[in-house]
Amino acid sequence: LRASLPQPGSGGCSLCNGHRPGSSRDPGETEMGPFSPKGGTRHTPDGEFQLVTEDLDDDVASGDGTVHDEGCNVRKPARTIAVLIVIGGFISLISLFFVMIYESVAHMHDSFPDYIQGAKRISNDTEAVISLISKQASPKMVQDMTDKVVGSLGDIVSLLVSATVGNLSSTL
């Protein structure tokens, strides 16, 4: 089969780089070179061993005996369409993300008085709890509780930051 491949300068396939006239690439050489995983040896019609560096299943012999790589013509449009579909999907996802953010901001803007009222309720409830604790507990006990809470929050923040930095460094 390899002996019947068009040689450089013999015309070859119009769309296939490996068979293009004047190409410096051997028609059987893949991008991986002569040690392609599809490689091996075959006998030529003359009885000689020849290194085979790509699978010839997609090659089709025309009426004049010239072998044309049909994969060159069939796979290029399919690959182009697949790339366009992936790019379109990626752009759509990014667009949907920004639409979601925009809708969230619009909803928050429309309901802003409710958010203000909720923040006031939380503030009032927090002040009530703090005043209740301050009235019933001694100042030393309040200080000890405050120190413990601040220390615990510091430990939690430290743990979160160290986990994030550890995962970030392993990601990079």
Side-chain angles (χ1 to χ4, degrees):
L1 285 175
R2 181 66 65 208
S4 64
L5 285 174
Q7 299 302 316
S10 67
C13 301
S14 60
L15 296 176
C16 181
N17 288 336
H19 302 157
R20 193 165 297 205
S23 172
S24 62
R25 186 176 149 226
D26 175 24
E29 186 176 335
T30 64
E31 282 79 18
M32 294 182 67
F35 299 101
S36 170
K38 296 180 182 178
T41 56
R42 291 193 183 155
H43 287 285
T44 62
D46 302 334
E48 298 176 8
F49 270 124
Q50 187 171 14
L51 182 63
V52 177
T53 56
E54 65 182 21
D55 196 0
L56 296 177
D57 291 341
D58 292 333
D59 292 349
V60 177
S62 63
D64 61 357
T66 311
V67 176
H68 301 278
D69 188 0
E70 189 163 300
C72 293
N73 300 326
V74 173
R75 292 187 188 125
K76 283 183 183 178
R79 183 176 297 151
T80 303
I81 290 170
V83 167
L84 290 175
I85 288 171
V86 169
I87 290 172
F90 184 70
I91 290 172
S92 297
L93 284 176
I94 290 173
S95 300
L96 287 174
F97 178 72
F98 283 110
V99 166
M100 181 182 68
I101 290 174
Y102 177 78
E103 289 296 325
S104 176
V105 168
H107 177 266
M108 188 177 226
H109 184 268
D110 294 341
S111 305
F112 198 66
D114 296 332
Y115 286 100
I116 291 173
Q117 185 181 9
K120 285 180 182 176
R121 275 193 219 146
I122 291 173
S123 177
N124 291 337
D125 290 345
T126 305
E127 286 177 8
V129 169
I130 289 174
S131 68
L132 180 65
I133 291 174
S134 298
K135 288 178 185 175
Q136 299 211 352
S138 68
K140 184 178 188 297
M141 182 184 263
V142 172
Q143 186 63 37
D144 288 342
M145 284 184 2
T146 304
D147 291 342
K148 285 181 182 179
V149 168
V150 169
S152 298
L153 288 175
D155 291 342
I156 291 171
V157 169
S158 175
L159 179 69
L160 290 174
V161 168
S162 66
T164 302
V165 169
N167 289 335
L168 181 65
S169 63
S170 67
T171 302
L172 296 176

